[in-house]
Amino acid sequence: MTILTIIIALIVLSFATYYITKINNQVGAYTTVVVTLAALVIFLLEGDKLSGASSIGILRFSVTPLAWFFSIIMLIVYSMVAFFNPYWMKKILHPGAYNMLFLLSLAGTIGVFFAENFIVMFIFWEIVVWASMFIIPFGKSRTASVVYYAMSTFGSFTFLYAIFMLYANYGTFVIKDSLEAAKGDANIAIAAFILMLLAGFIKLGIFPFHIWLPMAHGNAPDTFSPILSGGLVKLGAFLTILITTLLPIHEVTKDQAYIFGVPILIYVLMIFGAISIVVGTLMAIKQDDAKKLLAYSSVANGGYILIGILLYDEMALSGALIHIFGHAIASATAFLTIAAVSYRTGTTKMSELGGMIHKMPITYVVYLMAIISMAGIPPMTGFISKWLLFQALADQGMFFIATTMFFGSIGSFLYVFRPLSVLFLGQLKPEHKTVKEAPIGMLIPMVILSGITLFYGVLPNSLVEYTAKIESALGFDKVIETSALVIQGNNGDLHAPLITGIFAFGFIIALIIFLIAPKSRKVGLMDTYTAGEFLYTPSLYHAGYAYYAPFERLYQKHPNIVALFAALVQKVKDFGKFIRFVFFSRWPGRGVMFIILTMILLMWGEKL
């Protein structure tokens, strides 16, 4: 089966699903499950041997290990999230449109990954942008969709300008040919790299273009937030890898001054990744809404990915690729657990929840496994990727960047622990006494995703070996090496099964102590007193309010990038009002006069 056939099938089925949903919502929702699972099975069975030979006009596709790797990530996320769709049909205002756009956005991502030329990539890139833009308002806010579209449009314009600039100079839209041709002119190559990287920055949520992430993730339908975080933001990572390796940018900038072994331009861009880690971490700690907390977590993890890509080292790139995989799975899992809680309780605000472990124990365990990976703790996939990234940074002596990554890892313990403590382990609120565990259709995909995270955390070698295959296909002279169950590093080797065994032994010892130790006496929420005064309102005991207040006070007066963007928006509005006043007033004579004056100035400038 060819890539073109799969993409056409997905597009046709997306429109067919719209009409099926119009007839029956549930049948339409289950169609998204069948279609996404079928696509995943095809990709798994065919592997990266899928054919890209067939074409229609400019619609040409080529199969690469990198494209297949990203497609598998996307298909896993989409297919698992699709299991939630049937439960949300009554919650979504336009279910037919949602199901159609859900599949259309998947088709767009596949087209981006396998596109042979930039024009095709841009077309499918825009399909993803427009499909997701229309889905976001199905949640809580249209403003979030406007901000997302505005940021995405800016990235799309810079991307398109770079494409046309390369075509004007080299006469081809073919990705590999145009980027290789650009090697000969450093100025054009750097300009194209920065323009395309802006699109990657925005999609990946890198500071200062990260503001759309918490708005879009937090306000999108609960079933689409996992797609945004676990899937669509990874398009930015794909584009960044493509332009960084195919130019390659390190070779183009080799005449620049070096900082810690990398050209100054690359180091400055890595600083933006470091800032993203810090900003994402600090902002995540402050959030009361669990979805916005996870969204800011995606900002921080985008910084890890960017640093790994730009470091352009076999261990760093392998770490970045595994982090893309690990974060996509863990983030999607975490968002799905919050969606499951929201499905049962109607809210994602942690201050309105508590004690869900008593009612939703399986959801709790799944969330626990997801955050262990996101925090980079063994034996999950997130630990493997962070270990590789720290190894690469240590090799280069980039201790400042490494420090920010370490800060992000420690800070992640704080923000992922907040939902764990407040939402799941806190006191069960009286209004949630009748809450039940998530339906079996929701539990299945969450458990599968948790299993994937655990499996590649314990046995990561097959994943690492495939990243080595990607590096080889991208032209790396040296690729990451493994032997038996060990991943080899310059500063030490990683034996993941051994680490897992040590953690398992510690867990067993802790379990034995727990079982034989005296048990604490359970008391009711109101069975307590404060300074001799009894409190009769359960909400006053809730730990979710100002959870990290002492820590948050350290940076409560931090500079706000949102205020800068708001000021920019206001200036644009003021300029628009001025143009309307001059050219589109109620007095036509004034408008005609200014038009004539403008034409005279233009002609005068032409003669000068």
Side-chain angles (χ1 to χ4, degrees):
M1 185 172 289
T2 67
I3 295 297
L4 180 62
T5 304
I6 294 172
I7 292 173
I8 291 175
L10 285 172
I11 293 174
V12 171
L13 287 169
S14 69
F15 288 102
T17 304
Y18 172 80
Y19 292 103
I20 294 171
T21 308
K22 283 292 185 180
I23 298 171
N24 188 295
N25 286 353
Q26 291 299 304
V27 175
Y30 281 109
T31 301
T32 65
V33 179
V34 173
V35 171
T36 52
L37 281 175
L40 176 61
V41 170
I42 291 170
F43 271 78
L44 288 173
L45 292 177
E46 295 284 342
D48 55 17
K49 301 297 187 293
L50 278 162
S51 173
S54 60
S55 62
I56 300 176
I58 64 168
L59 290 177
R60 296 179 179 274
F61 303 94
S62 59
V63 179
T64 64
L66 180 67
W68 185 85
F69 178 79
F70 272 86
S71 296
I72 286 295
I73 294 172
M74 206 66 62
L75 286 165
I76 291 173
V77 172
Y78 267 88
S79 59
M80 294 300 102
V81 172
F83 277 88
F84 276 59
N85 287 346
Y87 300 96
W88 251 260
M89 288 297 97
K90 292 181 180 179
K91 295 174 177 282
I92 294 175
L93 187 60
H94 304 288
Y98 175 84
N99 289 333
M100 178 189 72
L101 294 169
F102 183 87
L103 293 178
L104 195 61
S105 64
L106 174 59
T109 62
I110 301 299
V112 168
F113 297 144
F114 290 97
E116 188 179 83
N117 65 75
F118 276 125
I119 291 297
V120 174
M121 177 184 280
F122 182 80
I123 290 171
F124 283 100
W125 183 282
E126 286 301 292
I127 288 174
V128 175
V129 169
W130 283 81
S132 51
M133 180 196 72
F134 283 118
I135 287 179
I136 291 171
F138 292 168
K140 303 174 185 177
S141 169
R142 292 190 176 185
T143 302
S145 180
V146 172
V147 173
Y148 168 71
Y149 177 70
M151 299 295 287
S152 297
T153 300
F154 177 72
S156 296
F157 278 130
T158 61
F159 188 15
L160 188 62
Y161 186 86
I163 291 171
F164 286 137
M165 183 180 68
L166 289 173
Y167 180 79
N169 283 277
Y170 308 114
T172 179
F173 287 119
V174 177
I175 297 171
K176 190 173 181 180
D177 293 346
S178 61
L179 291 178
E180 286 185 353
K183 293 178 187 177
D185 191 324
N187 292 330
I188 292 177
I190 292 172
F193 173 76
I194 292 175
L195 288 169
M196 290 187 184
L197 192 65
L198 282 172
F201 264 42
I202 292 169
K203 188 62 70 176
L204 196 53
I206 299 298
F207 178 90
F209 304 107
H210 65 288
I211 63 169
W212 72 267
L213 241 76
M215 295 185 69
H217 290 46
N219 291 288
D222 294 341
T223 51
F224 198 68
S225 293
I227 297 293
L228 284 170
S229 179
L232 299 188
V233 298
K234 303 304 184 286
L235 267 70
F238 176 80
L239 180 60
T240 303
I241 291 174
L242 208 64
I243 59 177
T244 301
T245 56
L246 293 186
L247 270 174
I249 191 60
H250 279 252
E251 182 179 329
V252 171
T253 55
K254 63 184 178 181
D255 294 331
Q256 294 183 358
Y258 276 63
I259 300 178
F260 296 109
V262 298
I264 188 170
L265 173 64
I266 303 302
Y267 190 80
V268 169
L269 293 172
M270 290 173 68
I271 292 294
F272 282 99
I275 295 173
S276 298
I277 294 174
V278 174
V279 170
T281 300
L282 293 177
M283 294 303 295
I285 289 171
K286 295 176 63 174
Q287 301 308 309
D288 178 44
D289 189 297
K291 287 174 66 176
K292 288 188 177 180
L293 182 150
L294 293 173
Y296 276 112
S297 168
S298 297
V299 173
N301 282 278
Y304 289 101
I305 293 167
L306 178 68
I307 289 170
I309 296 169
L310 293 178
L311 195 54
Y312 201 67
D313 170 84
E314 71 276 1
M315 187 159 289
L317 182 59
S318 183
L321 288 167
I322 295 174
H323 201 75
I324 290 167
F325 176 83
H327 178 258
I329 303 301
S331 178
T333 307
F335 267 107
L336 288 179
T337 61
I338 302 304
V341 171
S342 174
Y343 178 75
R344 288 304 194 193
T345 65
T347 182
T348 59
K349 287 190 174 182
M350 291 177 282
S351 58
E352 298 175 358
L353 295 163
M356 288 296 109
I357 185 176
H358 304 294
K359 300 297 181 179
M360 307 178 74
I362 299 176
T363 303
Y364 160 75
V365 172
V366 169
Y367 177 79
L368 179 62
M369 295 177 69
I371 65 171
I372 289 174
S373 182
M374 292 169 68
I377 303 172
M380 300 298 176
T381 310
F383 168 72
I384 306 300
S385 61
K386 287 189 177 181
W387 184 87
L388 291 169
L389 290 171
F390 275 115
Q391 284 277 321
L393 288 170
D395 288 345
Q396 293 281 0
M398 294 186 178
F399 297 110
F400 172 73
I401 302 290
T403 300
T404 61
M405 289 182 64
F406 183 74
F407 173 85
S409 295
I410 298 300
S412 67
F413 296 162
L414 297 179
Y415 65 69
V416 298
F417 181 73
R418 184 169 183 171
L420 185 75
S421 173
V422 176
L423 193 157
F424 288 105
L425 299 179
Q427 291 280 4
L428 181 67
K429 303 190 79 171
E431 59 264 37
H432 296 146
K433 286 184 177 180
T434 58
V435 167
K436 298 179 181 179
E437 178 60 273
I440 186 67
M442 292 185 182
L443 294 177
I444 289 173
M446 291 194 294
V447 171
I448 290 173
L449 289 172
S450 297
I452 293 172
T453 304
L454 178 61
F455 177 81
Y456 285 110
V458 178
L459 298 170
N461 281 42
S462 60
L463 187 59
V464 174
E465 288 167 3
Y466 196 82
T467 63
K469 182 178 181 180
I470 293 172
E471 291 171 346
S472 180
L474 290 172
F476 277 62
D477 297 327
K478 184 180 179 183
V479 299
I480 190 167
E481 296 180 357
T482 61
S483 75
L485 299 175
V486 177
I487 302 172
Q488 298 175 3
N490 294 333
N491 304 298
D493 296 339
L494 175 63
H495 197 304
L498 177 61
I499 294 174
T500 302
I502 294 172
F503 266 75
F505 178 75
F507 177 79
I508 292 170
I509 296 298
L511 180 62
I512 293 172
I513 294 173
F514 173 77
L515 293 174
I516 64 176
K519 302 297 182 292
S520 59
R521 181 177 67 89
K522 291 184 178 181
V523 297
L525 175 61
M526 304 306 296
D527 186 10
T528 184
Y529 67 91
T530 302
E533 293 186 25
F534 286 92
L535 299 178
Y536 297 97
T537 306
S539 61
L540 295 177
Y541 282 110
H542 199 289
Y545 294 104
Y547 192 78
Y548 287 124
F551 181 73
E552 291 174 27
R553 281 196 290 269
L554 296 175
Y555 60 97
Q556 62 182 354
K557 295 183 179 179
H558 61 84
N560 192 346
I561 193 69
V562 176
L564 177 62
F565 280 110
L568 180 62
V569 168
Q570 188 58 48
K571 294 298 181 184
V572 173
K573 287 182 177 179
D574 291 342
F575 180 72
K577 289 178 180 179
F578 172 74
I579 294 297
R580 185 170 60 183
F581 172 78
V582 171
F583 294 104
F584 302 101
S585 67
R586 287 179 292 175
W587 296 278
R590 183 170 63 188
V592 171
M593 180 186 73
F594 278 109
I595 290 173
I596 293 171
L597 287 174
T598 302
M599 292 176 64
I600 292 171
L601 288 172
L602 288 173
M603 289 187 291
W604 185 45
E606 181 79 17
K607 291 182 178 179
L608 288 178

